[in-house]
Amino acid sequence: MTPHMTIGGERAAARAHFAVINPATEENLDDAPACQRDQLDAAFEAALKAFPAWSNDEDTRLAMLSELADRIVAAGPELVDLLVLETGKPRDLAEIEISACKTWIDYAIATELPRTFLARDAHANIEMRHRPLGVVAAILPWNFPIVMTITKLAPALRVGNTMVIKPSPFTPFSSLRLGEIVNEVVPAGVVNFVSGGDEVGQWMTAHPTPRKVTFTGSIASGKHVAVAAGADLKRVTLELGGNDAAILMDDIDVGPTADAVLARAFFNAGQACALPKRVFAPAGLYDEVVDAFTAAAERVQLGASDGPLAMGPLSTRPQFRRICELVTDADAHGVKATTGGGRADRPGFFFQPTILTGASAGVRIVDEEQFGPALPIIPYSNVDDATRMANDTMFGLCGSVWGQDLERATKVAERLECGVSYVNSHGVHRPSVPLMGSKWSGIGMEHGLEGMLEFTDPHVVFVAPRLTDTALT
Ligand code: NAD
């Protein structure tokens, strides 16, 4: 592991360190640089200094983003190696993460900021435009370190901002290496990469320089970020946790539906924000559904490095402890595991793919975001009942409805209180489609034109005729 922090286009000397663990072995991977306060100040200063030139030259920005996409593709194998080591995810999932970066950058390049004419008459030409905010602070979680950095970086740079970026302390190396690659392309100071613990995130949100904080992480941290950003009226986008419902309609083809829902629920070992985390099944089909999910979970290949059924360990020790704790708590409340139910008998943070029956609201595994491969299946008597249970939460990221009758399923999906409702799919993202949470799952949007606009301030330009041409209006 050699990646360094990049501040003002230069490698920053590490004056303090923190340990990073390989979740597949529980061994120390290496020490990562812990950013010091004066280094963070230098990063923000460099970003501020780089802003005027960067924001004034769109052609250069587009050309550099295009070059960056190519460089990430070229560095793919190296970045994949780092991702596998620090997240534990299967190699092909890491490859998908890296190859997605070009798609997101290409979308940003192709997306133009709108100029909207609000009035064009004898009295004035009035136009709504958008301009960059200045310096953006980006704070990232550990589950998709590279692609999530790119989904923030591409639109933020596209519209002319400069940045200071902090990856999760659990997965700093791939991001720091990405930072070195980015800095081979963009001018010094445009994008600064620092690493460190939660306190560095707190310094970033309290720092006077950034005009926006874009944050992806837990609801608990998101609330702190909102308070800190609010104190300085910084713009803020929060993409936070989810406890998504998947409602199975009574016309499902049980086997294929169970396979499809489970594949989404256990994607990245269940460690993604927008995945089915509570499954609601019609009471009349309940036993058949549980059997099908159990069979699907038993086909998962824990520890395999490739293939559609491969699943890695939990990526962090706290997350591993959390999933162990939630399943133990469920057991104490009479919830049964039809398969799995505990840690795998091997080193590393591997947890057995687990299907749970007999869980309901009031048990933590249902009420909280588990973020791991343990899925409760809850019976419902009618669709109103299922919708009520699905919505009876302060989470509101995504949700899904699965069934053959698309019209009926869509009507139910429309009633889900969340940012994105899927029918026969879940947690599939496209660069052009905004992602946002309702309730506690977030503020603002990412992705799509709407997400890009969040890296700008609206700006009305009101042009009245020459005073010599007309009377003052
Ligand atoms: P986390 O909140 O613990 O940490 C996220 C980042 O915030 C880290 O870089 C951390 O160092 C930093 N941080 C922590 N406390 C902070 C504070 N008070 N001020 C500023 N920065 C702070 O989250 P995590 O465990 O890394 O990530 C998992 C969570 O992220 C899950 O809840 C998941 O649902 C959520 N998530 C949401 C989305 C989404 O798009 N909605 C996507 C991925 C993950």
Side-chain angles (χ1 to χ4, degrees):
M1 301 291 147
T2 49
H4 294 72
M5 298 192 294
T6 308
I7 296 175
E10 304 282 333
R11 279 184 168 196
R15 302 209 303 270
H17 294 91
F18 60 96
V20 180
I21 286 174
N22 179 340
T25 61
E26 298 177 57
E27 285 162 2
N28 261 13
L29 259 182
D30 206 342
D31 287 343
C35 184
Q36 305 298 291
R37 260 190 198 265
D38 61 312
Q39 294 178 308
L40 186 66
D41 288 342
F44 278 122
E45 200 180 314
L48 195 59
K49 196 167 156 218
F51 176 69
W54 181 251
S55 58
N56 270 326
D57 189 350
E58 184 178 29
D59 290 344
T60 301
R61 296 203 302 270
L62 296 182
M64 287 184 175
L65 279 170
S66 178
E67 190 184 339
L68 174 61
D70 293 341
R71 295 246 187 164
I72 292 173
V73 171
E78 183 192 357
L79 291 171
V80 165
D81 283 348
L82 290 171
L83 276 181
V84 169
L85 281 172
E86 64 185 7
T87 67
K89 66 179 62 179
R91 176 159 289 274
D92 54 2
L93 187 50
E95 284 166 357
I96 292 169
E97 177 167 350
I98 298 303
S99 63
C101 293
K102 181 168 166 49
T103 316
W104 290 87
I105 294 174
D106 287 349
Y107 173 80
I109 291 170
T111 305
E112 296 207 11
L113 289 176
R115 291 172 69 155
T116 314
F117 289 102
L118 304 174
R120 255 177 165 169
D121 54 34
H123 304 292
N125 253 336
I126 311 175
E127 208 184 304
M128 167 77 89
R129 301 182 191 170
H130 301 270
R131 60 178 177 199
L133 294 163
V135 179
V136 171
I139 302 174
L140 279 307
W142 43 261
N143 52 347
F144 295 95
I146 295 288
V147 75
M148 276 190 192
T149 300
I150 291 296
T151 61
K152 295 181 188 301
L153 176 150
L157 293 194
R158 163 71 173 93
V159 300
N161 299 289
T162 57
M163 304 183 82
V164 176
I165 297 177
K166 186 189 97 66
S168 164
F170 294 102
T171 55
F173 294 118
S174 57
S175 306
L176 292 181
R177 179 67 192 115
L178 176 69
E180 293 174 350
I181 294 165
V182 171
N183 275 277
E184 288 165 12
V185 179
V186 302
V190 168
V191 190
N192 305 272
F193 278 76
V194 299
S195 55
D198 298 352
E199 70 286 355
V200 179
Q202 290 168 8
W203 300 342
M204 289 170 78
T205 54
H207 201 281
T209 299
R211 295 324 309 149
K212 177 181 173 93
V213 180
T214 173
F215 175 88
T216 301
S218 63
I219 289 173
S221 307
K223 287 181 178 178
H224 288 296
V225 171
V227 170
D232 187 34
L233 297 181
K234 291 177 175 42
R235 308 293 183 262
V236 71
T237 299
L238 302 174
E239 290 289 354
L240 308 178
N243 195 9
D244 296 3
I247 299 178
L248 313 187
M249 302 294 280
D250 58 10
D251 63 348
I252 50 164
D253 193 351
V254 173
T257 305
D259 287 349
V261 175
L262 187 112
R264 297 312 300 159
F266 290 177
F267 177 71
N268 199 35
Q271 302 168 111
C273 51
L275 298 180
K277 290 171 183 163
R278 299 172 292 153
V279 173
F280 295 96
L285 290 178
Y286 188 71
D287 291 345
E288 197 184 337
V289 165
V290 168
D291 287 348
F293 271 85
T294 303
E298 286 173 352
R299 284 194 288 275
V300 169
Q301 293 170 354
L302 195 59
S305 67
D306 283 303
L309 299 174
M311 192 170 91
L314 280 301
S315 292
T316 76
R317 192 188 300 280
Q319 191 50 42
F320 177 63
R321 287 192 175 139
R322 180 171 164 73
I323 196 76
C324 292
E325 188 183 306
L326 289 182
V327 172
T328 304
D329 174 78
D331 183 58
H333 285 84
V335 175
K336 294 277 163 275
T338 60
T339 187
R343 71 172 298 167
D345 186 17
R346 55 185 291 170
F349 305 139
F350 289 92
F351 196 87
Q352 297 169 339
T354 297
I355 300 299
L356 299 166
T357 62
S360 57
V363 180
R364 288 182 63 197
I365 192 89
V366 175
D367 292 351
E368 299 178 20
E369 180 187 37
Q370 68 272 53
F371 224 61
L375 188 63
I377 304 185
I378 301 158
Y380 70 82
S381 51
N382 58 58
V383 169
D384 285 345
D385 186 29
T387 314
R388 181 190 53 74
M389 289 192 284
N391 289 337
D392 186 18
T393 170
M394 282 307 291
F395 292 92
L397 192 56
C398 299
S400 60
V401 181
W402 301 74
Q404 308 272 16
D405 182 338
L406 295 185
E407 204 177 318
R408 197 162 69 107
T410 304
K411 285 211 168 86
V412 179
E414 285 165 1
R415 290 166 60 194
L416 293 177
E417 295 167 3
C418 57
V420 184
S421 289
Y422 295 86
V423 171
N424 293 331
S425 184
H426 200 129
V428 173
H429 306 292
R430 294 183 184 202
S432 59
V433 179
L435 171 68
M436 60 275 166
S438 61
K439 304 189 205 176
W440 279 355
S441 287
I443 291 178
M445 291 187 234
E446 282 198 317
H447 313 172
L449 174 62
E450 291 80 358
M452 187 179 278
L453 289 174
E454 295 221 357
F455 289 105
T456 67
D457 260 344
H459 183 208
V460 169
V461 180
F462 186 122
V463 181
R466 277 183 285 266
L467 295 184
T468 49
D469 292 347
T470 180
L472 190 59
T473 53

